[in-house]
Amino acid sequence: MRLTVLYDDGCPMCRTFSSWLARQPTLVGLSLMAAGSPYARARFPTLDHERTLEEITVVGDDGAVWTGSHAWVMCLWATAAHRPLAESLARPSRLPLARGAAHLAAGIRHVTTSRTARSGGDYPDHCAGTCAPPDHAPSQGLLEGLVEG
């Protein structure tokens, strides 16, 4: 199995996460590709490329497509260190925590604080803002308990 992660190269948070993901030992093949790029459009002509710029998208070599929380789970599932966490987050009751867990795993701490607590943020004006964190992200302790529970 091989997965391709389409991420918004214009979003600092997305670039940070993709850079972290690229450094992780993986259990499946993993490619990272700028969403909406000419290469992405040529490789995946049937995808809605405007939507891939608004939310993370993972495409399997078998044509399966994951978006949103499911895509965050797949990113973690691909890594050797975070597969148990991904399997726990795949449960319907825990799926809403997937984005926050992926950000915490990548060490992107600022995404776990509320937007009002940040001054100015680090999103460019053209960023769709859909990758912004929820106002109440889970704590690290809660995420550690997910793997055990």
Side-chain angles (χ1 to χ4, degrees), residues 3-117:
L3 300 174
T4 301
V5 179
L6 298 167
Y7 67 96
D8 182 356
D9 195 40
C11 170
M13 185 188 68
C14 298
R15 281 195 316 269
T16 300
F17 181 77
S18 66
S19 177
W20 171 83
L21 191 57
R23 294 188 309 270
Q24 300 306 299
T26 59
L27 299 173
V28 298
L30 190 67
S31 298
L32 299 161
M33 187 178 302
S37 68
Y39 186 68
R41 291 175 189 276
R43 180 141 179 231
F44 304 109
T46 61
L47 281 181
D48 177 349
H49 289 278
E50 294 307 311
R51 185 172 179 206
T52 66
L53 287 167
E54 294 176 6
E55 70 178 330
I56 189 169
T57 303
V58 177
V59 182
D61 58 0
D62 62 354
V65 177
W66 296 271
T67 59
S69 295
H70 297 281
W72 292 113
V73 167
M74 290 305 293
C75 288
L76 291 173
W77 181 83
T79 68
H82 301 289
R83 183 167 278 184
L85 175 60
E87 289 172 348
S88 177
L89 290 168
R91 297 177 190 161
S93 64
R94 294 180 176 173
L95 196 56
L97 302 174
R99 178 175 47 190
H103 293 161
L104 283 173
I108 308 173
R109 292 185 187 97
H110 66 277
V111 301
T112 61
T113 62
S114 72
R115 281 188 235 181
T116 56

